[in-house]
Amino acid sequence: MSEIVLKTNKLTKQYRDIRAIDNLSFTIRKGTTFGLLGPNGSGKTTTLGILLSVINQTSGSFTWFEEGNSNKQRKRIGAILEGPHFYENFTAYKNLKLISKIKGVGDNQIERVLKEVDLYNRKDDKFKTYSLGMKQRLAIASALLSDPEVLILDEPTNGLDPQGIADIRELIIKIASTGKTVILASHLLDEVEKVCNEYLVLKEGKLIHKGKVDQDVTNSLVIELASPDMIKLETVIKSNPYFISLKHNKNFFEVKFDGNTDFTLVANFLFENKIIISHFLVLKKNLETQFLEILEQNV
Amino acid sequence: MFRLLDIEFYKLRNSKYFWILLILFMIFLISVPISVNLFFETIRSNKMTREGRTLVNYVSFFYTEDLWHNLTYIYKLGTILLAFITMISITNEYNYKTIKQNIIDGLSKKEFLLSKIYMIIVLSLFVTFLVGIIGVVTGFLYSQTSDLSLIFENIKYLGFYFIYVLTFLLFSFFIANLIKKSGVSIAIMIFYIIMIEPIIVAISTYGLKIEWLSSFYPINGINNLISNPFSRHFFKDLNRFTLTPFFVSIFYIILYIYLTYKILKNRDL
Ligand SMILES: Nc1ncnc2c1ncn2[C@@H]1O[C@H](COP(=O)(O)OP(=O)(O)OP(=O)(O)O)[C@@H](O)[C@H]1O
Ligand SMILES: [Mg+2]
């Protein structure tokens, strides 16, 4: 249906004695926010390096935009791979200006991207004087420079403080919402979960799972509930505006709520309706549990 | 081509090492005729004996017919400064992984390489042009000739100088690409030039008695483009002119570009 942005076919990279990636085939459709998930050393960076033509694959092939994989396609992609790489003695502005020349775009975008990552007032400072977080943000700015159709980010929140992490995630979500395709490599499940809608899991170079981040799972709240009066509990809880579904278990209900509420609101709601609670347990059913299950199945 | 040159010169003109080395090179260019002239003036004014005076006139540096040969021969020495520019310009890219980012941002490896090679060609042309100007000016000022057309005699040495610089820079560029670290590659290059090749030349010439082979080594081969003009006065017969060094240089130019491309193509960045 929708256009294919990337298709890989049995990509393999063999280093001397390790197979960094092994027969990797997957497809990414336009508009997807795609997570590349896997523990350290599982081959995420290697995969992205191949897709960006800085690493030669041992075998297999890939195609961008159903066209090819030359620098012509690469100009339609904005990417950062393993940290920021800039000319140390250039100012931020000059670094971005050089990249504009390489991408063949005018320098009228520089101001916009610098503002986007909040570096505009530091634009005339040399790159080497930047803090790690600022360097990382400049890297993201450079990836946004040509207003690319695809954004590739390898651990984009590495080295950022909590505020920086939140800002970058928000930025990624904002970019994704404009219909751009985003490919995000991370070993932080939480990050992929918050940002992505599709993902694959790598382990020792092998693709062990492909899936969609289940909006239903992540954007919901599941609580185990029990009361001496289970019948009253059931009627009351079903009247909660965020109620989604209820599952009868042996001694308790497993109740699913919309993610826009939280457990304190639920507790408060039950209290106001004068329900006596004998069991209240918030279930953390999210990608992390899925991920750990998947990894375990593949030992 | 102009886009690639624009990219490369943007990098250079924002780099301190480039200006420092280029200015050093220019100082070297200008200081040669001035100091040589000073040297001869001192000898003359020191009321030397008649023999001394004739000797000075005999080997006169600025004697128009020899001017280009003499100048370019001495200017060969300065090429090492330009080689440093070439080498640092590529080792920096490896060091800071900006070569990787350039490729990610949309240069092909071939374009990246071409941007550097174009830069090397333009740099070689530029310094040849400078040497040309200095040669003409020096000819006017010092050679005490009334016939101006004599100044342009033997200007072919300017062409050889260009070929020499180009080949030498590509040689240094090749080494820098191979080694990737600036200090180490500069050290290896100098070590090769002053130790390894002379030893190999000595072995093949005096040990193995294959004299003709010495014209084909990377450094010796291109050195012959501009042979030592001063020894000519003593060994007149040795000063036979051949085109061999020219073809040797062309061969090495192609070889260095080809090998550098192969290295870059097969390398994971
Ligand atoms: N140049 C190299 N030479 C040899 N082995 C390498 C090289 N680069 C990567 N590897 C190996 O390939 C495997 C995959 O590495 P890669 O960097 O792709 O992992 P990653 O998933 O990005 O890990 P991380 O989360 O730590 O960034 C690792 O085992 C690594 O040691
Ligand atoms: Mg990595």
Side-chain angles (χ1 to χ4, degrees):
Chain A
M1 301 170 294
S2 62
E3 293 165 56
I4 290 174
V5 165
L6 170 69
K7 196 174 174 66
T8 78
N9 182 26
K10 298 189 178 146
L11 279 183
T12 300
K13 176 69 184 180
Q14 178 78 40
Y15 286 114
R16 201 154 304 183
D17 37 32
I18 19 176
R19 186 158 278 217
I21 60 170
D22 192 1
N23 265 306
L24 219 54
S25 301
F26 59 93
T27 303
I28 298 180
R29 290 179 185 283
K30 193 176 167 167
T32 316
T33 312
F34 197 89
L36 213 54
L37 201 52
N40 290 131
S42 55
K44 304 180 295 289
T45 302
T46 306
T47 306
L48 295 181
I50 291 173
L51 297 177
L52 292 165
S53 300
V54 291
I55 297 176
N56 298 318
Q57 71 266 37
T58 310
S59 62
S61 61
F62 62 97
T63 318
W64 282 109
F65 309 110
E66 298 182 280
E67 282 178 13
N69 56 26
S70 73
N71 61 320
K72 185 161 162 271
Q73 283 80 42
R74 239 163 23 248
K75 284 183 190 158
R76 296 163 64 182
I77 301 168
I80 53 169
L81 203 57
E82 273 198 337
H85 304 303
F86 288 99
Y87 295 87
E88 298 274 311
N89 290 313
F90 288 23
T91 63
Y93 186 86
K94 282 186 171 166
N95 266 302
L96 292 186
K97 173 133 179 166
L98 180 64
I99 295 170
S100 306
K101 286 177 189 286
I102 291 174
K103 296 224 179 238
V105 297
D107 46 15
N108 50 350
Q109 299 288 312
I110 299 176
E111 192 179 315
R112 174 182 65 83
V113 296
L114 279 171
K115 281 180 176 157
E116 193 124 47
V117 298
D118 209 12
L119 279 177
Y120 188 69
N121 53 357
R122 298 290 301 268
K123 72 179 167 54
D124 294 320
D125 290 341
K126 287 193 173 174
F127 176 71
K128 67 176 173 199
T129 68
Y130 276 22
S131 74
L132 180 59
M134 292 164 71
K135 288 177 176 174
Q136 193 71 13
R137 292 202 321 260
L138 185 64
I140 291 171
S142 80
L144 295 173
L145 198 54
S146 62
D147 196 19
E149 294 159 59
V150 179
L151 197 59
I152 296 183
L153 303 168
D154 188 9
E155 322 249 349
T157 53
N158 228 352
L160 299 185
D161 58 22
Q163 185 58 49
I165 293 175
D167 288 350
I168 293 303
R169 285 184 187 161
E170 207 171 291
L171 186 63
I172 297 171
I173 292 168
K174 196 174 102 192
I175 292 162
S177 72
T178 62
K180 289 194 196 306
T181 310
V182 179
I183 305 176
L184 174 75
S186 180
H187 57 261
L188 302 172
L189 303 151
D190 170 52
E191 184 156 280
V192 169
E193 179 174 11
K194 287 212 169 77
V195 173
C196 299
N197 48 33
E198 273 183 45
Y199 68 100
L200 59 79
V201 182
L202 290 179
K203 192 187 172 202
E204 287 164 14
K206 290 195 175 60
L207 196 166
I208 58 172
H209 184 78
K210 256 190 274 202
K212 288 194 187 339
V213 177
D214 189 353
Q215 295 303 323
D216 198 41
V217 169
T218 54
N219 290 336
S220 64
L221 172 73
V222 181
I223 304 177
E224 288 179 10
L225 286 174
S227 165
D229 188 350
M230 294 295 271
I231 296 162
K232 189 174 175 202
L233 173 64
E234 185 167 350
T235 40
V236 167
I237 206 71
K238 279 183 174 168
S239 71
N240 182 289
Y242 295 100
F243 173 83
I244 294 176
S245 65
L246 182 144
K247 212 161 88 189
H248 291 264
N249 272 353
K250 199 171 167 213
N251 298 319
F252 55 85
F253 297 140
E254 199 180 300
V255 191
K256 187 185 271 185
F257 298 92
D258 186 300
N260 288 324
T261 186
D262 70 36
F263 69 91
T264 53
L265 290 174
V266 173
N268 209 28
F269 173 81
L270 292 170
F271 178 74
E272 278 169 4
N273 285 285
K274 302 194 169 61
I275 303 283
I276 299 159
I277 293 296
S278 56
H279 178 74
F280 189 102
L281 179 65
V282 181
L283 291 185
K284 206 168 157 44
K285 175 82 177 158
N286 59 11
L287 197 57
E288 182 152 0
T289 41
Q290 283 181 23
F291 179 68
L292 292 175
E293 280 165 18
I294 293 162
L295 281 184
E296 240 139 60
Q297 285 158 16
N298 284 278
V299 192
Chain B
M1 176 180 149
F2 288 109
R3 174 175 152 263
L4 296 178
L5 268 177
D6 180 40
I7 290 170
E8 180 56 28
F9 276 97
Y10 190 79
K11 293 176 188 171
L12 281 186
R13 72 169 180 266
N14 285 296
S15 303
K16 221 184 258 167
Y17 73 88
F18 171 70
W19 291 111
I20 293 174
L21 288 165
L22 192 66
I23 288 169
L24 278 179
F25 180 77
M26 290 194 192
I27 293 174
F28 169 72
L29 284 191
I30 296 171
S31 66
V32 167
I34 293 177
S35 49
V36 169
N37 187 48
L38 218 61
F39 174 70
F40 284 124
E41 287 297 317
T42 329
I43 295 178
R44 282 197 193 99
S45 62
N46 273 356
K47 295 206 167 41
M48 300 281 279
T49 60
R50 283 206 178 275
E51 288 102 311
R53 182 173 269 265
T54 39
L55 181 65
V56 167
N57 283 339
Y58 187 54
V59 296
S60 175
F61 189 84
F62 302 111
Y63 189 58
T64 36
E65 269 175 46
D66 300 340
L67 177 68
W68 291 107
H69 194 170
N70 295 342
L71 266 186
T72 52
Y73 180 75
I74 295 196
Y75 284 158
K76 280 204 297 188
L77 286 174
T79 316
I80 194 89
L81 293 170
L82 304 174
F84 292 163
I85 293 180
T86 316
M87 295 175 97
I88 296 171
S89 99
I90 184 70
T91 51
N92 267 355
E93 306 258 15
Y94 282 113
N95 192 16
Y96 298 118
K97 299 204 169 177
T98 43
I99 176 171
K100 180 172 161 179
Q101 194 61 42
N102 280 184
I103 305 297
I104 290 174
D105 288 335
L107 284 184
S108 65
K109 284 182 173 176
K110 190 170 153 197
E111 281 180 327
F112 181 87
L113 186 64
L114 280 176
S115 77
K116 298 282 179 194
I117 290 174
Y118 290 154
M119 177 271 285
I120 290 172
I121 295 173
V122 170
L123 190 63
S124 309
L125 279 173
F126 176 68
V127 300
T128 306
F129 174 73
L130 288 183
V131 169
I133 291 180
I134 290 181
V136 171
V137 171
T138 316
F140 275 127
L141 292 182
Y142 300 140
S143 66
Q144 301 146 340
T145 298
S146 47
D147 186 357
L148 292 184
S149 68
L150 276 181
I151 291 175
F152 296 99
E153 194 154 303
N154 272 329
I155 201 161
K156 63 171 184 275
Y157 279 103
L158 202 55
F160 291 148
Y161 183 71
F162 169 71
I163 302 285
Y164 173 84
V165 173
L166 182 62
T167 318
F168 190 85
L169 293 188
L170 286 170
F171 167 73
S172 67
F173 181 64
F174 162 69
I175 291 182
N177 262 294
L178 195 64
I179 315 273
K180 298 202 277 188
K181 300 256 180 286
S182 59
V184 184
S185 45
I186 287 175
I188 286 182
M189 183 183 74
I190 293 178
F191 187 64
Y192 177 82
I193 294 173
I194 64 175
M195 288 288 297
I196 301 179
E197 195 178 297
I199 290 174
I200 295 176
V201 170
I203 292 174
S204 72
T205 311
Y206 304 110
L208 305 172
K209 307 263 183 235
I210 325 174
E211 269 171 46
W212 56 268
L213 200 59
S214 71
S215 315
F216 295 93
Y217 292 110
I219 296 300
N220 218 37
I222 62 171
N223 267 338
N224 290 342
L225 276 169
I226 306 169
S227 56
N228 187 338
F230 309 115
S231 62
R232 171 184 50 196
H233 301 285
F234 308 105
F235 315 103
K236 275 224 168 346
D237 54 319
L238 277 185
N239 196 37
R240 273 176 294 116
F241 178 77
T242 81
L243 272 178
T244 312
F246 176 75
F247 291 114
V248 169
S249 304
I250 300 295
F251 167 77
Y252 277 115
I253 287 174
I254 294 169
L255 183 72
Y256 296 143
I257 293 178
Y258 175 78
L259 289 179
T260 311
Y261 181 66
K262 278 282 160 203
I263 292 173
L264 190 57
K265 187 92 189 158
N266 294 325
R267 178 177 275 161
D268 290 338
L269 297 172

